[in-house]
Amino acid sequence: MYDPTVARLTYRALLGRRRALILFALPVLLIVIAAAVRGFSGADDQVAVDLLGGFALATMVPIIGVIAGTGAIGPEIDDGSVVYLLSKPVKRPTIIITKLTVAIAVTMAFSAVPTFIAGMILNGNGQQIAVAYTIAALVASIAYAALFLLLGTITRHAVVFGLVYALVWEALFGSLVPGARTLSVQQWSLAIAQKTAGGDLVTSDVGLPVATVLLVGVTVLATWYAGQKLRSLTLAGEE
């Protein structure tokens, strides 16, 4: 279910000069802000939660997920080079699983690692806040990568729709409409972070059992449907 050649080509596409600059920008900004905040206000658990939750998990992780998830397959569909890939003796599920694996790895590397570093800078992992948000970033990376990989297979405007979901639905509606939070990857991952962190600083509007089911369900369904869409692309190319 994993093809090294497909993985290598996907990594090369995702870590090209332009995308790499975008992928590095937000993590560097997070760490710089964390260092500045620590320098001005000292170690503060509430400040750490506000920055890691409000910037790292709510903004950085989904944007990196959009870049990695859509970039893993979207450009190949847009320029038609996916037909060449599909002509090779590689099973369609293998292509999707490989690209999803790469997208998850890139999202985790550029979101979870800087989240942990920023958390350690902010309060030295007091009340397990740095670890909690790092785990949340890791879990969210999987769901985001699957969702945005699916978007990359069904629309040429995957980046736009991905940003609308991440920044409008989760960040805007999620903060204003309580019911919208139930359909939020951010809240699902926060449920796991809440279980990890000490005290009551990290909270989620979704219970842990429900969050776990939704995270697994969305990831599996998005991956399966992306595979189905790739099969239809194969038929279209053959016709």
Side-chain angles (χ1 to χ4, degrees):
M1 296 300 289
Y2 182 86
D3 187 273
T5 302
V6 174
R8 185 173 63 253
L9 293 174
T10 307
Y11 274 118
R12 186 180 302 173
L14 286 178
L15 300 178
R17 182 176 300 177
R18 183 179 301 177
R19 282 197 177 88
L21 289 175
I22 300 174
L23 287 170
F24 274 107
L26 286 174
V28 170
L29 179 60
L30 172 65
I31 293 172
V32 169
I33 293 175
V37 169
R38 177 62 186 266
F40 283 114
S41 64
D44 187 300
D45 293 343
Q46 186 60 57
V47 171
V49 168
D50 291 342
L51 182 57
L52 295 180
F55 182 78
L57 193 61
T59 302
M60 183 185 73
V61 179
I63 289 179
I64 291 176
V66 169
I67 297 170
T70 61
I73 196 169
E76 293 175 286
I77 295 176
D78 291 343
D79 62 21
S81 60
V82 70
V83 176
Y84 173 78
L85 176 62
L86 296 176
S87 68
K88 299 300 179 181
V90 182
K91 294 180 179 179
R92 305 304 177 254
T94 298
I95 294 174
I96 289 296
I97 293 297
T98 301
K99 287 185 172 292
L100 176 61
T101 302
V102 172
I104 290 172
V106 170
T107 307
M108 285 182 171
F110 284 93
S111 60
V113 174
T115 296
F116 179 74
I117 294 173
M120 294 300 293
I121 292 173
L122 286 165
N123 76 334
N125 195 37
Q127 297 196 57
Q128 295 290 309
I129 289 173
V131 171
Y133 276 99
T134 299
I135 292 174
L138 289 170
V139 171
S141 295
I142 299 173
Y144 280 132
L147 279 172
F148 298 138
L149 179 69
L150 171 61
L151 280 179
T153 65
I154 63 179
T155 176
R156 293 179 180 271
H157 307 290
V159 173
V160 175
F161 286 114
L163 290 175
V164 167
Y165 171 79
L167 300 180
V168 177
W169 177 264
E170 291 208 343
L172 182 59
F173 282 93
S175 63
L176 298 177
V177 183
R181 298 170 191 164
T182 306
L183 301 177
S184 168
V185 174
Q186 177 188 344
Q187 290 296 323
W188 304 342
S189 60
L190 275 174
I192 297 176
Q194 181 180 7
K195 185 69 174 179
T196 305
D200 300 322
L201 288 173
V202 182
T203 60
S204 172
D205 292 321
V206 182
L208 182 59
V210 174
T212 302
V213 171
L214 289 173
L215 281 167
V216 173
V218 164
T219 301
V220 171
L221 287 175
T223 304
W224 172 80
Y225 193 60
Q228 297 302 307
K229 294 300 294 183
L230 200 62
R231 290 178 185 275
S232 68
L233 285 174
T234 304
L235 294 175
E238 291 171 353
E239 290 173 358

mmCIF file of all heavy atoms in Angstrom, residues 170-190:
data_model
loop_
_atom_site.group_PDB
_atom_site.id
_atom_site.type_symbol
_atom_site.label_atom_id
_atom_site.label_comp_id
_atom_site.label_asym_id
_atom_site.label_seq_id
_atom_site.Cartn_x
_atom_site.Cartn_y
_atom_site.Cartn_z
ATOM 1 N N GLU A 170 -13.951 26.953 10.640
ATOM 2 C CA GLU A 170 -13.422 26.596 11.952
ATOM 3 C C GLU A 170 -13.085 27.824 12.798
ATOM 4 O O GLU A 170 -13.432 27.885 13.971
ATOM 5 C CB GLU A 170 -12.185 25.716 11.793
ATOM 6 C CG GLU A 170 -12.505 24.336 11.246
ATOM 7 C CD GLU A 170 -11.508 23.300 11.717
ATOM 8 O OE1 GLU A 170 -10.420 23.690 12.173
ATOM 9 O OE2 GLU A 170 -11.823 22.105 11.637
ATOM 10 N N ALA A 171 -12.400 28.803 12.216
ATOM 11 C CA ALA A 171 -11.955 29.949 12.999
ATOM 12 C C ALA A 171 -13.081 30.940 13.268
ATOM 13 O O ALA A 171 -13.234 31.425 14.395
ATOM 14 C CB ALA A 171 -10.805 30.653 12.279
ATOM 15 N N LEU A 172 -13.895 31.249 12.238
ATOM 16 C CA LEU A 172 -14.938 32.261 12.401
ATOM 17 C C LEU A 172 -16.225 31.667 12.960
ATOM 18 O O LEU A 172 -16.655 32.008 14.067
ATOM 19 C CB LEU A 172 -15.206 32.953 11.064
ATOM 20 C CG LEU A 172 -16.251 34.077 11.092
ATOM 21 C CD1 LEU A 172 -15.830 35.160 12.069
ATOM 22 C CD2 LEU A 172 -16.452 34.655 9.694
ATOM 23 N N PHE A 173 -16.858 30.752 12.197
ATOM 24 C CA PHE A 173 -18.112 30.168 12.655
ATOM 25 C C PHE A 173 -17.904 29.344 13.928
ATOM 26 O O PHE A 173 -18.777 29.308 14.790
ATOM 27 C CB PHE A 173 -18.724 29.294 11.554
ATOM 28 C CG PHE A 173 -19.413 30.070 10.486
ATOM 29 C CD1 PHE A 173 -18.729 30.441 9.337
ATOM 30 C CD2 PHE A 173 -20.728 30.460 10.614
ATOM 31 C CE1 PHE A 173 -19.353 31.172 8.343
ATOM 32 C CE2 PHE A 173 -21.367 31.193 9.634
ATOM 33 C CZ PHE A 173 -20.672 31.552 8.486
ATOM 34 N N GLY A 174 -16.744 28.687 14.026
ATOM 35 C CA GLY A 174 -16.472 27.886 15.211
ATOM 36 C C GLY A 174 -16.414 28.706 16.482
ATOM 37 O O GLY A 174 -16.723 28.203 17.563
ATOM 38 N N SER A 175 -16.016 29.975 16.346
ATOM 39 C CA SER A 175 -15.947 30.829 17.526
ATOM 40 C C SER A 175 -17.268 31.527 17.819
ATOM 41 O O SER A 175 -17.487 32.005 18.930
ATOM 42 C CB SER A 175 -14.845 31.890 17.331
ATOM 43 O OG SER A 175 -15.155 32.732 16.229
ATOM 44 N N LEU A 176 -18.169 31.590 16.824
ATOM 45 C CA LEU A 176 -19.426 32.319 16.994
ATOM 46 C C LEU A 176 -20.637 31.408 17.161
ATOM 47 O O LEU A 176 -21.583 31.741 17.865
ATOM 48 C CB LEU A 176 -19.651 33.244 15.789
ATOM 49 C CG LEU A 176 -18.598 34.343 15.568
ATOM 50 C CD1 LEU A 176 -18.914 35.117 14.300
ATOM 51 C CD2 LEU A 176 -18.544 35.282 16.760
ATOM 52 N N VAL A 177 -20.627 30.258 16.497
ATOM 53 C CA VAL A 177 -21.775 29.355 16.496
ATOM 54 C C VAL A 177 -21.402 28.068 17.234
ATOM 55 O O VAL A 177 -20.598 27.274 16.730
ATOM 56 C CB VAL A 177 -22.217 29.023 15.057
ATOM 57 C CG1 VAL A 177 -23.461 28.141 15.088
ATOM 58 C CG2 VAL A 177 -22.458 30.293 14.257
ATOM 59 N N PRO A 178 -21.937 27.827 18.410
ATOM 60 C CA PRO A 178 -21.568 26.640 19.184
ATOM 61 C C PRO A 178 -21.754 25.330 18.415
ATOM 62 O O PRO A 178 -20.940 24.428 18.504
ATOM 63 C CB PRO A 178 -22.491 26.713 20.402
ATOM 64 C CG PRO A 178 -22.799 28.167 20.548
ATOM 65 C CD PRO A 178 -22.880 28.700 19.139
ATOM 66 N N GLY A 179 -22.843 25.214 17.659
ATOM 67 C CA GLY A 179 -23.102 23.971 16.941
ATOM 68 C C GLY A 179 -22.065 23.654 15.891
ATOM 69 O O GLY A 179 -21.815 22.485 15.574
ATOM 70 N N ALA A 180 -21.431 24.686 15.327
ATOM 71 C CA ALA A 180 -20.430 24.475 14.287
ATOM 72 C C ALA A 180 -19.180 23.812 14.842
ATOM 73 O O ALA A 180 -18.423 23.167 14.097
ATOM 74 C CB ALA A 180 -20.073 25.809 13.631
ATOM 75 N N ARG A 181 -18.949 23.960 16.127
ATOM 76 C CA ARG A 181 -17.744 23.403 16.722
ATOM 77 C C ARG A 181 -17.749 21.882 16.707
ATOM 78 O O ARG A 181 -16.692 21.253 16.754
ATOM 79 C CB ARG A 181 -17.598 23.916 18.159
ATOM 80 C CG ARG A 181 -17.438 25.429 18.236
ATOM 81 C CD ARG A 181 -17.544 25.927 19.662
ATOM 82 N NE ARG A 181 -17.649 27.384 19.700
ATOM 83 C CZ ARG A 181 -18.050 28.071 20.749
ATOM 84 N NH1 ARG A 181 -18.402 27.442 21.847
ATOM 85 N NH2 ARG A 181 -18.122 29.398 20.705
ATOM 86 N N THR A 182 -18.935 21.298 16.665
ATOM 87 C CA THR A 182 -19.014 19.838 16.628
ATOM 88 C C THR A 182 -18.423 19.288 15.345
ATOM 89 O O THR A 182 -17.894 18.172 15.316
ATOM 90 C CB THR A 182 -20.486 19.379 16.757
ATOM 91 O OG1 THR A 182 -21.059 19.967 17.919
ATOM 92 C CG2 THR A 182 -20.584 17.872 16.862
ATOM 93 N N LEU A 183 -18.497 20.066 14.262
ATOM 94 C CA LEU A 183 -17.952 19.646 12.969
ATOM 95 C C LEU A 183 -16.620 20.340 12.711
ATOM 96 O O LEU A 183 -16.371 20.855 11.639
ATOM 97 C CB LEU A 183 -18.947 19.981 11.854
ATOM 98 C CG LEU A 183 -20.326 19.334 11.992
ATOM 99 C CD1 LEU A 183 -21.244 19.781 10.878
ATOM 100 C CD2 LEU A 183 -20.196 17.813 12.001
ATOM 101 N N SER A 184 -15.765 20.326 13.700
ATOM 102 C CA SER A 184 -14.485 21.018 13.619
ATOM 103 C C SER A 184 -13.347 20.079 13.991
ATOM 104 O O SER A 184 -13.318 19.533 15.095
ATOM 105 C CB SER A 184 -14.484 22.233 14.559
ATOM 106 O OG SER A 184 -13.203 22.753 14.716
ATOM 107 N N VAL A 185 -12.420 19.888 13.072
ATOM 108 C CA VAL A 185 -11.242 19.064 13.363
ATOM 109 C C VAL A 185 -10.478 19.651 14.542
ATOM 110 O O VAL A 185 -9.925 18.920 15.369
ATOM 111 C CB VAL A 185 -10.340 18.970 12.116
ATOM 112 C CG1 VAL A 185 -9.036 18.244 12.447
ATOM 113 C CG2 VAL A 185 -11.057 18.268 10.980
ATOM 114 N N GLN A 186 -10.448 20.948 14.614
ATOM 115 C CA GLN A 186 -9.761 21.625 15.717
ATOM 116 C C GLN A 186 -10.334 21.189 17.068
ATOM 117 O O GLN A 186 -9.584 20.856 17.994
ATOM 118 C CB GLN A 186 -9.893 23.133 15.565
ATOM 119 C CG GLN A 186 -9.282 23.928 16.710
ATOM 120 C CD GLN A 186 -9.606 25.407 16.621
ATOM 121 O OE1 GLN A 186 -10.035 25.899 15.592
ATOM 122 N NE2 GLN A 186 -9.392 26.115 17.705
ATOM 123 N N GLN A 187 -11.654 21.182 17.194
ATOM 124 C CA GLN A 187 -12.285 20.787 18.449
ATOM 125 C C GLN A 187 -12.073 19.303 18.732
ATOM 126 O O GLN A 187 -11.910 18.899 19.890
ATOM 127 C CB GLN A 187 -13.776 21.117 18.412
ATOM 128 C CG GLN A 187 -14.086 22.603 18.445
ATOM 129 C CD GLN A 187 -13.638 23.269 19.730
ATOM 130 O OE1 GLN A 187 -13.721 22.687 20.812
ATOM 131 N NE2 GLN A 187 -13.144 24.495 19.619
ATOM 132 N N TRP A 188 -12.082 18.474 17.699
ATOM 133 C CA TRP A 188 -11.844 17.046 17.901
ATOM 134 C C TRP A 188 -10.445 16.818 18.467
ATOM 135 O O TRP A 188 -10.269 16.017 19.378
ATOM 136 C CB TRP A 188 -12.012 16.279 16.595
ATOM 137 C CG TRP A 188 -13.350 16.470 15.943
ATOM 138 C CD1 TRP A 188 -14.498 16.937 16.530
ATOM 139 C CD2 TRP A 188 -13.673 16.212 14.580
ATOM 140 N NE1 TRP A 188 -15.519 16.975 15.611
ATOM 141 C CE2 TRP A 188 -15.046 16.544 14.401
ATOM 142 C CE3 TRP A 188 -12.955 15.743 13.487
ATOM 143 C CZ2 TRP A 188 -15.690 16.406 13.172
ATOM 144 C CZ3 TRP A 188 -13.592 15.610 12.259
ATOM 145 C CH2 TRP A 188 -14.950 15.937 12.105
ATOM 146 N N SER A 189 -9.477 17.497 17.903
ATOM 147 C CA SER A 189 -8.099 17.327 18.388
ATOM 148 C C SER A 189 -7.925 17.936 19.776
ATOM 149 O O SER A 189 -7.151 17.434 20.593
ATOM 150 C CB SER A 189 -7.112 17.945 17.394
ATOM 151 O OG SER A 189 -7.354 19.328 17.224
ATOM 152 N N LEU A 190 -8.659 19.014 20.066
ATOM 153 C CA LEU A 190 -8.595 19.615 21.401
ATOM 154 C C LEU A 190 -9.130 18.665 22.467
ATOM 155 O O LEU A 190 -8.692 18.719 23.618
ATOM 156 C CB LEU A 190 -9.391 20.925 21.427
ATOM 157 C CG LEU A 190 -8.663 22.183 20.956
ATOM 158 C CD1 LEU A 190 -9.621 23.359 20.911
ATOM 159 C CD2 LEU A 190 -7.468 22.493 21.850
#
